[in-house]
Amino acid sequence: MLSPEKNERLTRVGPGTPMGDLLRRYWWPIATHDMATRVPVKRRLLGEDLVLYRDGSGTVGLLAEQCPHRRAALWLGCTERTGLRCGYHGWVFDADGRCLEQPGEPADSTFAARIRTTAYPVQELGGLVFAYLGPLPAPELPRYDLFVWDDAWRDIGHAELPCNFLQIMENSVDPYHVEWLHGRYGSFLRELDGGAPLPVVTKKHVKVAFEVFEHGILKRRVLEGHTEEDDDWKVGHPLVFPHMLRVGAAGLATFQIRVPIDDETTWHVWYQTYRPDGGAPPQTSIPTYEVPLVDERGEWLRDYVDGQDIVAWITQGRISDRSREHLGKSDLGVILLRKLYSEQMARVAAGEDPICTFREPHDVIDLPMEKDKFGPAAQFRAMWCRESSIRFSPIRDEVLDLFGDPALA
Amino acid sequence: MNFCPVCGADLRDGASFVQEFWVAQDRDFLGWCATCTTMSSVVLAPTVVGHEPEH
Ligand code: FES
Ligand SMILES: [Fe+2]
Ligand SMILES: [Zn+2]
């Protein structure tokens, strides 16, 4: 168990909280590329209400939701050639937060020069819009490999989950759940439907190891019937600090990105890449889609692997009460992650950069990940297209085609 | 586990981290001290188990 104070410290993400201060040192996806348009939209990140827009000159801006004049919401506004005009009285703001116009004020007024609204830096990369809410100067936006490969196809799935980000991150250092949540529970549902169990996820874990390394925590495992010579142990796959899991194999690689909207809500982004041997032909645009959480009767979807994970996270509660849990030795990965967050919070409090802060411009950051996993490649891809969020991707069939795989039955 | 076994700092300082977990009869604690940055573990064991080489 964990003390209620420590639980609070690890889960509160708002301004002025220790975790909020730590998380503000990183760039966060705030939207998919197609959400930033001439029509301003409301977004929320780390407990702050914001408005995102793309003005007539193509500049993407991210401002505090409320207009500094008389506090109307700026999503009730119109984008101009430069900046965003508040819909209420027409004040105009640019992406740096400067007030460019106050049409109701006398022509000789210099009042506008004294008004500034909160504006945060944004950058686009790989089909996502990233925002930085921390102290300036902002570090470099990390160019992780999946965001920058020029010979891969991509799609981006996303969903808003009613729970704190930490319980989702903890799942990424909890390898045993695969055997049980997906192997046993998932197979149980299939049995009830007269189906056969899912092959790979039912295998027993012989050994797991966690290693803090420069990008976060590297997770290695040996499953029954495998050895330390297999990629699962030799290479492993990373939890990228503080917010991502990298998974996949056989030309499929995914970042699961956990974006804290506030203490009780998380924007989950499945950033998928498809890269056959020899590369993929150019893709004209990156499709985006919403991952549904419930079926037509309003029941949580849990007949596939990612759905099972989601339901486990959500049922832990909006903020899991860790003062009432009972951890064992199989939870060491989770404990290590909590310790890593604690250590990095202390680093930020001491005025230092936390890990995974990049101050130097760079082309690409390569991350380790298994290539061979779970048996034959085509079989793995078929399973992944059924069992992960890809099942809802608008380009699922084209992806199988890209690899020369048969269509799903 | 209230104090760092290495430097003696109070681990209830807010910034340090202590997590209890259980292994069989043992109560285990993993601690991280914000003062000296040591990670440590403490085991409250009802019995001490050794091993005897084959002979
Ligand atoms: S067995 Fe782990 S949450 Fe129930
Ligand atoms: Fe899972
Ligand atoms: Zn100490």
Side-chain angles (χ1 to χ4, degrees):
Chain A
M1 70 186 66
L2 192 68
S3 70
E5 300 73 48
K6 294 265 181 269
N7 195 32
E8 173 145 352
R9 196 175 155 82
L10 283 165
T11 52
R12 300 304 192 269
V13 301
T17 60
M19 185 58 105
D21 286 349
L22 169 61
L23 299 182
R24 277 172 174 71
R25 298 305 196 89
Y26 299 93
W27 286 87
W28 292 93
I30 187 145
T32 55
H33 61 93
D34 50 351
M35 293 179 190
T37 69
R38 290 297 298 267
V39 182
V41 286
K42 179 179 165 119
R43 305 296 295 160
R44 191 168 152 81
L45 176 61
L46 297 169
E48 295 188 45
D49 291 312
L50 305 163
V51 171
L52 180 77
Y53 67 90
R54 191 187 298 270
D55 73 12
S57 68
T59 302
V60 179
L62 183 67
L63 305 177
E65 180 180 18
Q66 286 172 305
C67 177
H69 178 216
R70 291 215 288 117
R71 321 263 313 139
L74 284 174
W75 48 259
L76 176 74
C78 21
T79 43
E80 301 291 1
R81 170 101 196 116
T82 302
L84 175 64
R85 183 184 299 280
C86 179
Y88 202 6
H89 308 96
W91 289 19
V92 176
F93 300 93
D94 72 5
D96 294 324
R98 271 186 300 255
C99 182
L100 306 181
E101 280 180 41
Q102 293 173 322
E105 296 304 303
D108 58 353
S109 166
T110 56
F111 181 30
R114 282 183 286 127
I115 295 292
R116 252 201 127 93
T117 195
T118 303
Y120 291 119
V122 284
Q123 281 190 56
E124 290 183 272
L125 179 66
L128 288 170
V129 182
F130 290 85
Y132 177 79
L133 273 55
L136 299 172
E140 295 288 316
L141 170 63
R143 297 173 56 83
Y144 291 117
D145 46 10
L146 305 197
F147 296 137
V148 299
W149 283 341
D150 57 11
D151 57 351
W153 280 10
R154 298 178 169 78
D155 63 28
I156 307 173
H158 58 94
E160 217 175 282
L161 307 183
C163 67
N164 182 262
F165 85 104
L166 183 66
Q167 55 220 53
I168 309 179
M169 289 308 294
E170 288 178 345
N171 173 265
S172 302
V173 276
D174 175 11
Y176 293 102
H177 90 272
V178 175
E179 262 175 65
W180 298 103
L181 182 62
H182 310 307
R184 178 64 192 124
Y185 176 75
S187 298
F188 170 68
L189 293 182
R190 295 161 75 101
E191 272 165 34
L192 296 179
D193 264 354
L198 256 195
V200 279
V201 295
T202 42
K203 284 193 188 160
K204 283 225 154 326
H205 284 75
V206 176
K207 176 152 111 171
V208 297
F210 306 95
E211 193 177 303
V212 175
F213 78 133
E214 57 177 327
H215 301 300
I217 296 179
L218 194 60
K219 184 165 72 168
R220 306 171 191 273
R221 57 186 152 202
V222 179
L223 297 178
E224 204 169 40
H226 296 231
T227 71
E228 293 184 11
E229 286 312 302
D230 288 307
D231 273 9
D232 241 5
W233 181 266
K234 261 203 340 229
V235 185
H237 64 267
L239 174 153
V240 180
F241 195 84
H243 58 338
M244 299 202 291
L245 172 70
R246 162 84 176 258
V247 273
L252 313 184
T254 303
F255 281 142
Q256 293 189 9
I257 316 175
R258 289 72 185 255
V259 185
I261 293 176
D262 53 34
D263 295 345
E264 300 194 341
T265 325
T266 303
W267 191 44
H268 201 281
V269 178
W270 289 264
Y271 187 93
Q272 265 115 15
T273 59
Y274 308 101
R275 196 192 198 198
D277 288 335
Q283 188 182 26
T284 42
S285 84
I286 301 177
T288 68
Y289 59 99
E290 247 181 271
V291 174
L293 302 182
V294 292
D295 65 15
E296 55 298 334
R297 286 167 314 157
E299 301 271 359
W300 297 113
L301 279 170
R302 47 195 193 271
D303 62 340
Y304 73 114
V305 165
D306 283 10
Q308 290 147 14
D309 283 319
I310 290 171
V311 180
W313 305 333
I314 291 176
T315 56
Q316 286 177 296
R318 292 301 286 246
I319 303 177
S320 181
D321 182 355
R322 293 175 179 76
S323 70
R324 296 174 64 194
E325 60 183 15
H326 299 84
L327 301 192
K329 204 167 180 170
S330 56
D331 298 305
L332 274 173
V334 170
I335 297 173
L336 185 69
L337 177 63
R338 293 176 189 175
K339 180 233 146 201
L340 184 59
Y341 280 118
S342 306
E343 187 183 277
Q344 299 306 314
M345 284 189 266
R347 242 165 110 160
V348 168
E352 291 163 40
D353 274 343
I355 58 164
C356 305
T357 304
F358 299 90
R359 293 283 174 193
E360 296 301 321
H362 54 273
D363 290 332
V364 58
I365 299 167
D366 286 308
L367 295 166
M369 191 185 75
E370 307 91 334
K371 284 205 183 58
D372 304 314
K373 189 185 168 105
F374 303 146
Q379 201 182 315
F380 172 78
R381 287 190 292 264
M383 180 190 80
W384 205 255
C385 285
R386 233 184 250 121
E387 295 294 325
S388 80
S389 61
I390 299 175
R391 75 147 60 176
F392 303 109
S393 166
I395 57 165
R396 186 177 79 166
D397 297 342
E398 287 97 311
V399 164
L400 289 168
D401 214 40
L402 174 71
F403 284 95
D405 292 347
L408 292 183
Chain B
M1 183 185 191
N2 291 332
F3 297 95
C4 172
V6 173
C7 77
D10 195 334
L11 296 179
R12 295 161 297 184
D13 60 359
S16 297
F17 174 75
V18 177
Q19 171 78 61
E20 180 175 3
F21 61 105
W22 288 278
V23 181
Q25 294 293 309
D26 298 347
R27 284 177 73 193
D28 281 37
F29 297 83
L30 183 132
W32 176 76
C33 171
T35 307
C36 75
T37 73
T38 302
M39 177 162 82
S40 57
S41 71
V42 163
V43 181
L44 303 183
T47 31
V48 179
V49 180
H51 79 290
E52 192 174 44
E54 280 185 50
H55 58 271

